[in-house]
Amino acid sequence: MQTVKKCFGILLVGAVLASVPTRAEVVLADVFARQVTSLNGKWRVIVDPYDTGYYDYRHQPYDASPYPGGGFFIDRHAKDKTDQVEYNFDTSPTLNVPGDWNSQDEKLFYYEGSVWYRTKFDVKKSAPDHRQFVYFGAANYEADVYLNGKKLGRHIGGFTAFAYEITALAKATNNSLVVRVNNNRHVDGVPTVNTDWWNYGGLTRDVLLVETPATFISNFRVRLKPGTTNTIEANAQLDGADKEKTVKISLPTLKLAAEMKADANGFAQFELSAPNLPLWSPESPSLNDVELSSGEDQLKDRIGFRTVAASGQNILLNGHKVFLRGIAIHEENPLRGGRAWSEADAQLLLGWAKELNCDFVRLAHYPHNEHMARLADEMGILVWEEIPVYWTIDWTNADTLANAQMQLSDLIARDQNRASVIVWSVANETPVGEARTKFLKSLVDEARTLDGTRLVSAAMEVRGDPNDANHKIVDDPFGEFTDLCSFNEYAGWYDGLPEKIDRLHWSIKYNKPVFISEFGAGARQGFHADALTRFSEEYQADVYRRTLPMLEKIPGFSGCTPWILCDFRSPKRPLPGIQDGWNVKGLIGHNGEKKLAFDVLKHFYDEQAKPAAAK
Ligand code: GCU
């Protein structure tokens, strides 16, 4: 496992690569607003279960060896009939990028290991001093990236973006970009070896060639100044030799503009007075055009302004108490049966959430693609985002902690300008224990340091009372550090039958908003029986019908994200004829058909959404 060091916007990977120096990862904010060339499409691939293209027969990595010849990243071709080369990307099969390999090729459905991807591209720079980067929206789980046979770096973590500068390495034509993607699971990984979701491997999100001026805006943040609703605070970070440049910001619809000379580190800060600023909310998702420029570099974005806070047992949005009408979502398009990555996939999933009359979604259990939060901004849906510290992580391993910290800060750097995002979640269903709580506390501290304007929480667990089976206790010591008292509860499914739900009583240690991050039951879409037959739609609907009124009795109950919007693939669900490799707790089947419980929840949310007077 590599050691990881991080400083603002730049990630250094210190692999044991003697001969080929690695390059720093760079943060490239807002790539969708930049001049980009898409490298999406059909890439040549080599499936390499024994990592033959990465290690020599002494299991030494070729890219650390003085004789890298055998490494597939060289993209060699036989010079003539005598030449001994035992791979050839040009005649190899292809896979679509973006896309996981599991749902594209039946032979790769269960595959865990390495797959080599190669694409070729030409470079047409619009000015000789401009810089070039390759940007990956995500690659699960580990990606070694090479250009023209040279190593750019290694990225760990399957759900966050990364980019490398290629200005010095790129040729005008026929550049060979090779990526070794490996989705093996690791005990010390994040996530670790055991997850109730499919371990989709591959280049799962957009791959882009990004061109920038010599000095460009690598990241920026625009938000309400904490504690105000009429002052906009913004900052921008320049990347380039000429750091002390003027940075301009303008919000044309608000008739606001300012300019500032960046400091010696290329950092510029702004404060703009904005009386009568329209605030963003689900009812009125008002977004404002924001333009940032420095020299010839220009970025545009659409940003909403809102405040969110926990006060006593209430969640306040723009100072008003809210109830979060939510649903949990995995990043999967059930109709295609593969990782979701596109705007259309986001439309499908958030469209279904809207049909449920939701105004909140929990994007479980890892950072989803950027389209989700951007579309949620537009559609007026609040968002809970999470990093995959899931179940039993290697709590005492410093590299595991650094990996989790990196994923959290990458997520925050990417989505800090999204008004829809109101919760950073640092974990799901982790076992109470000192090392674990210390691990999670450091993530909470990091989130608060990087962004003190959002709620920080995790999906915690409930414990039973050995003396009273109907007594549920929430007193996880980690709850002391979170803004929400959020937990998963599965009464009526993993704990007893649905009738038990009616008898439950609760002891909750914390005077905080109570949020139910999961509840639910399995049902095969189309399977109908009496309400005591597990996996029937009737059983699932009964669990919903009993759980919602039960939760309403809990003081401070401020919302929920039932598990889950639609069925999703899981290697832990083999039951033939019922699950067949799907977790069937969805309210929508993997055929896109709604189950009875869908309307139970929708009806509850329709009632919740009614103005107080009409209830
Ligand atoms: C857990 C877990 C989910 C899982 C769900 C289930 O609570 O957080 O990832 O899929 O329960 O068992 O269906």
Side-chain angles (χ1 to χ4, degrees), residues 196-197 330 362 365 390-391 428-429 488 490 493-494 518 563 568 573 583 585:
D196 190 25
W197 69 79
H330 257 301
R362 175 186 176 199
H365 292 291
Y390 180 90
W391 289 348
N428 178 74
E429 291 191 349
N488 301 349
Y490 278 95
W493 185 255
Y494 291 124
E518 289 180 37
W563 194 257
F568 61 95
R573 309 290 171 172
N583 181 314
K585 293 194 180 70

Side-chain angles (χ1 to χ4, degrees), residues 461-479:
E461 294 186 298
V462 178
R463 71 183 175 87
D465 175 346
N467 307 316
D468 173 354
N470 302 323
H471 183 205
K472 295 273 185 181
I473 303 166
V474 182
D475 60 357
D476 181 333
F478 178 59

Side-chain angles (χ1 to χ4, degrees), residues 128-199:
D129 69 339
H130 277 196
R131 298 163 68 188
Q132 296 265 321
F133 302 83
V134 280
Y135 167 94
F136 298 84
N140 193 48
Y141 172 75
E142 189 178 283
D144 291 282
V145 185
Y146 308 83
L147 185 73
N148 300 331
K150 294 274 179 300
K151 184 142 195 177
L152 301 179
R154 163 177 287 189
H155 182 82
I156 306 277
F159 304 101
T160 46
F162 55 102
Y164 300 102
E165 176 150 16
I166 60 166
T167 312
L169 275 177
K171 305 177 292 182
T173 59
N174 204 29
N175 289 285
S176 162
L177 180 62
V178 174
V179 188
R180 167 186 172 265
V181 182
N182 181 292
N183 71 336
N184 283 337
R185 288 167 286 126
H186 303 276
V187 170
D188 58 4
V190 181
T192 182
V193 289
N194 189 15
T195 67
D196 190 25
W197 69 79
W198 207 266
N199 183 26

Side-chain angles (χ1 to χ4, degrees), residues 8-180:
F8 178 78
I10 301 205
L11 174 72
L12 298 173
V13 177
V16 196
L17 302 171
S19 64
V20 184
T22 53
R23 287 173 173 66
E25 279 187 24
V26 294
V27 167
L28 271 181
D30 227 14
V31 283
F32 295 100
R34 284 198 169 283
Q35 193 181 335
V36 297
T37 308
S38 171
L39 295 177
N40 293 350
K42 293 197 174 305
W43 290 46
R44 298 279 177 182
V45 294
I46 301 174
V47 179
D48 189 9
Y50 281 44
D51 260 328
T52 303
Y54 187 73
Y55 295 107
D56 65 18
Y57 80 121
R58 293 276 179 253
H59 206 67
Q60 297 303 311
Y62 280 116
D63 61 16
S65 139
Y67 313 104
F72 289 176
F73 56 86
I74 304 290
D75 192 4
R76 271 184 69 200
H77 296 80
K79 283 192 293 302
D80 57 45
K81 66 182 181 181
T82 68
D83 202 1
Q84 184 255 342
V85 181
E86 298 191 34
Y87 69 93
N88 182 346
F89 277 112
D90 292 348
T91 53
S92 293
T94 62
L95 283 176
N96 292 326
V97 171
D100 59 275
W101 59 63
N102 313 72
S103 63
Q104 292 190 58
D105 180 338
E106 233 174 86
K107 296 193 296 299
L108 299 176
F109 184 58
Y110 287 105
Y111 181 66
E112 294 185 305
S114 292
V115 172
W116 292 84
Y117 286 79
R118 193 233 38 208
T119 195
K120 294 255 176 149
F121 63 89
D122 299 341
V123 166
K124 291 186 200 61
K125 282 209 281 190
S126 48
D129 69 339
H130 277 196
R131 298 163 68 188
Q132 296 265 321
F133 302 83
V134 280
Y135 167 94
F136 298 84
N140 193 48
Y141 172 75
E142 189 178 283
D144 291 282
V145 185
Y146 308 83
L147 185 73
N148 300 331
K150 294 274 179 300
K151 184 142 195 177
L152 301 179
R154 163 177 287 189
H155 182 82
I156 306 277
F159 304 101
T160 46
F162 55 102
Y164 300 102
E165 176 150 16
I166 60 166
T167 312
L169 275 177
K171 305 177 292 182
T173 59
N174 204 29
N175 289 285
S176 162
L177 180 62
V178 174
V179 188
R180 167 186 172 265

